[in-house]
Amino acid sequence: MNGDLEGNRKVSRLVQRPNQMTVNEALELFKASGGEKVQILRPFAVFSGRSYSTPLTVPIGPAYLAGMLEAAGYSVDVIDGIGEGIHNVIPSADGELKFQGLTVEEIIDRVDPLTRLLGVSLMFSQDWVQHRDLIRAIKGARPNLTIVVGGEHVTAMPEYVLEDCAEVDYLITGEGELTFLEFASGHFKDQDLGKLPGLCYRDHDGEIVNNGLGQRVADFANLPRPAWHLCNVENFFTGMWSMGIGFGRNILILATRGCPYQCTFCSNPTMWTTRYLMRPATDVVDEIEHLIAEYGANSFDFADLTAIVKKSWVLEFCAEIKRRKLEIIWQLPSGTRSEALDGETVQAIYDAGCKLIVYAPESGSRDTLRVIKKKLSLEKLVASVRGALKVGHTIKLNLIIGFPHERRRHIFETLLFTIRMAFYGTDDCNISIFSPYPGSELYDELREQGTIPEISDEYFNSLLAQFDFTLPKGYCQHVSGRELAIYRFLGMGSFYGISYLLHPGRLLRLVTKVFRADFQPRNLFEQRIYDNISRRRLLKQG
């Protein structure tokens, strides 16, 4: 795609963000009048051919969307392009990529001839090129199908998506349940949806209409639960596929939505705004009991952007688990804040079954933390980590090097921080090279500066460097991408070298047992090794 699409946006109408709406109001206003058929697609997984970490999870976004539509009376089907073909791993023709899940042809075959409306979930910009081609293939096979696309990727760059893929009929930006439900209702009733907040599309003159973000759910606690009965969750239990550590029957759960912080590298403010919603602790535990009864789940991965913000909520949640005498495992694998994780809290969550905490300091440089608006105290975070390790938690750190402003001293401060944390006994550490993610403040700045001169397929594919040591793409003004790749490798190598030297029993257990069917990972490093071994086996079988 040529030209600066973002710099020449053809926006003919922009509707201001509306007020929020309750779930009951939406279900009553936009309920189905008959048995209208809707399918929701989560495409196959895309990752670098040399990726060292590609966790797979159940499709929680599509499952929530399906739950909302089903509650309103629609006939709903979820096509899980990963879960339905999870044992299918295919290399790309050039060997640069791998795909896991259903093939394009298999997904097309899963589109019901009775379906008039297909919703497609596109969360990650690094998957855009391959998922765009999938959408083109679906439209080619089913030209009369209305295709509506939503998720973080399209929320970040809606005009680009519509220009780059003419086969997309509509986009839904931001939180999708209310907008998609209203769209489905209007679509089946042939109503004019031109001014629907959250909708982006081309009008009859080919002009792009962007109606801004849609309504957010006012009462998250009343949102219908994910429609897991429409998804093949059992397939995710066959290989310990998990966002965190696989304990056999892992499933995702959400206690909150949004994040109240405004880190410059994160797309959250664009997708969710900074409005942070929390479900009542008792409601979350009710769902856990339901998942145990219905699916035999024994481990719960909290997919929240920032799970722990309010200490009183966490303590109430732990007390409720203990009151009901639930013997469960739960994890915080997506990264959380440390402010509420003091000595009392880390002990409480450990006693209530928490087995993994991922902290997200992002940098070991105070200067960098200030520039990227990461409002945290490294000293308090270190104290929290050491307290959690003392209690018995498995701990991982998420760090980033190569922010645009950084010089070598900032990077070395982060590397020294990782070594320090290894000596304290931290179990895992991932160091990523900064990538400007669409929807983030830093992405917009780099586009304005011309550092990202043109959005292209090459740019999207470069985002796959997050989990690939061999893709040295960088956007740092003072340090090259190749040099950053070396620092990244040295940093993670030093961390795990120190970790296993201090705990040689861990290394012995890993080497001697990782190929056994009954192997149980104890940290995320071991989990990802196990995942890669599983994928190699699947490649040989396929």
Side-chain angles (χ1 to χ4, degrees), residues 17-19 173-175 178-179 196-199 211-216:
R17 187 177 304 155
N19 294 327
T173 60
E175 190 175 41
L178 295 179
T179 305
L196 175 63
L199 199 66
N211 290 342
L213 290 182
Q215 294 169 315
R216 287 204 62 187

Side-chain angles (χ1 to χ4, degrees), residues 29-47:
L29 284 170
F30 311 123
K31 61 185 177 182
S33 58
E36 294 93 342
K37 177 81 174 184
V38 181
Q39 286 187 290
I40 301 167
L41 167 65
R42 193 264 292 263
F44 49 78
V46 181
F47 49 98

Side-chain angles (χ1 to χ4, degrees), residues 48 338 343 478:
S48 168
S338 59
H478 309 289

Side-chain angles (χ1 to χ4, degrees), residues 125-373:
S125 291
Q126 60 262 35
D127 302 340
W128 168 243
V129 176
Q130 293 73 33
H131 290 173
R132 175 199 63 200
D133 294 345
L134 167 64
I135 292 170
R136 288 174 175 170
I138 293 172
K139 194 72 166 184
R142 293 287 309 278
N144 296 323
L145 186 67
T146 298
I147 298 179
V148 184
V149 180
E152 291 210 19
H153 171 63
V154 302
T155 300
M157 44 196 334
E159 288 83 10
Y160 183 90
V161 170
L162 286 175
E163 292 281 5
D164 198 37
C165 188
E167 290 76 10
V168 172
D169 297 299
Y170 298 94
L171 304 179
I172 287 178
T173 60
E175 190 175 41
E177 286 89 355
L178 295 179
T179 305
F180 191 65
L181 175 61
E182 185 172 356
F183 178 88
S185 174
H187 177 73
F188 288 118
K189 295 174 184 176
D190 294 321
Q191 295 175 346
D192 180 10
L193 296 166
K195 295 184 179 181
L196 175 63
L199 199 66
C200 188
Y201 62 97
R202 300 176 206 84
D203 64 16
H204 295 299
D205 298 323
E207 298 291 297
I208 291 179
V209 178
N210 185 345
N211 290 342
L213 290 182
Q215 294 169 315
R216 287 204 62 187
V217 174
D219 48 345
F220 182 28
N222 292 324
L223 196 65
R225 289 174 181 163
W228 295 126
H229 60 284
L230 300 177
C231 309
N232 193 339
V233 297
E234 198 67 32
N235 273 1
F236 289 89
F237 303 152
T238 60
M240 294 198 298
W241 304 106
S242 169
M243 188 176 182
I245 300 170
F247 287 100
R249 301 182 74 83
N250 291 58
I251 199 164
L252 289 186
I253 193 168
L254 276 175
T256 66
R257 276 196 178 182
C259 176
Y261 300 96
Q262 302 182 55
C263 302
T264 61
F265 59 87
C266 183
S267 61
N268 165 72
T270 298
M271 176 69 186
W272 300 100
T273 73
T274 54
R275 183 165 167 262
Y276 185 67
L277 295 177
M278 303 172 66
R279 294 166 61 188
T282 53
D283 183 51
V284 179
V285 181
D286 286 345
E287 184 178 355
I288 287 174
E289 285 193 316
H290 167 74
L291 293 171
I292 294 170
E294 288 293 317
Y295 304 102
N298 69 327
S299 180
F300 303 87
D301 300 349
F302 281 79
D304 304 58
L305 290 166
T306 306
I308 293 183
V309 171
K310 191 175 181 181
K311 177 179 176 179
S312 60
W313 186 97
V314 179
L315 295 179
E316 181 185 353
F317 172 71
C318 293
E320 189 66 19
I321 288 175
K322 295 183 74 174
R323 187 185 69 81
R324 302 191 197 189
K325 298 180 180 179
L326 298 180
E327 298 294 330
I328 61 170
I329 296 168
W330 55 283
Q331 308 176 63
L332 301 171
S334 62
T336 193
R337 306 280 301 191
S338 59
E339 288 83 354
L341 287 169
D342 59 12
E344 180 184 10
T345 309
V346 295
Q347 183 67 61
I349 65 176
Y350 183 82
D351 293 341
C354 183
K355 295 295 184 183
L356 170 69
I357 306 173
V358 177
Y359 289 84
E362 314 304 353
S363 178
S365 165
R366 291 174 179 80
D367 288 345
T368 291
L369 292 173
R370 175 180 51 78
V371 172
I372 65 174
K373 301 180 183 177

